[in-house]
Amino acid sequence: MPTRYIAVWTSRNTDEPATVWAAVPPTREYIALGMVATVGSAATQPPFDAMRCVPKAWVTRCAGPAERLWSGDEGTVWRGAHGLIVAAKPR
């Protein structure tokens, strides 16, 4: 399980903001796959059992480009070849 979450993106233009969270793995030997999305304030992190971390030795890079699902002033949401969703802030 992750040790904590980092809010990487929050929509602020709606009555109920959506927040996308990146998990922080317990050690460098683990990796979090994907992200967690919640509705509501970024003040409340998702529960730790909302996702799992796996050993890096189990993971390989995904072939193929990611598909852009949504893009706006607040950031971009992508779906990778395995169907996992990732959000990024604009640079």
Side-chain angles (χ1 to χ4, degrees), residues 1-6 8 21-36 48 50-60 84-86:
M1 280 192 261
T3 57
R4 63 187 172 98
Y5 291 98
I6 298 171
V8 294
W21 302 87
V24 177
T27 68
R28 289 182 179 211
E29 288 79 32
Y30 286 82
I31 191 166
L33 301 176
M35 295 180 166
V36 177
F48 290 115
M51 70 180 306
R52 298 285 189 253
C53 298
V54 298
K56 281 186 179 179
W58 295 2
V59 179
T60 59
L84 297 174
I85 305 295
V86 176

Side-chain angles (χ1 to χ4, degrees), residues 67-90:
E67 172 189 8
R68 184 172 55 190
L69 299 176
W70 181 87
S71 184
D73 292 339
E74 299 166 347
T76 306
V77 178
W78 302 86
R79 178 174 45 214
H82 288 311
L84 297 174
I85 305 295
V86 176
K89 291 183 180 181

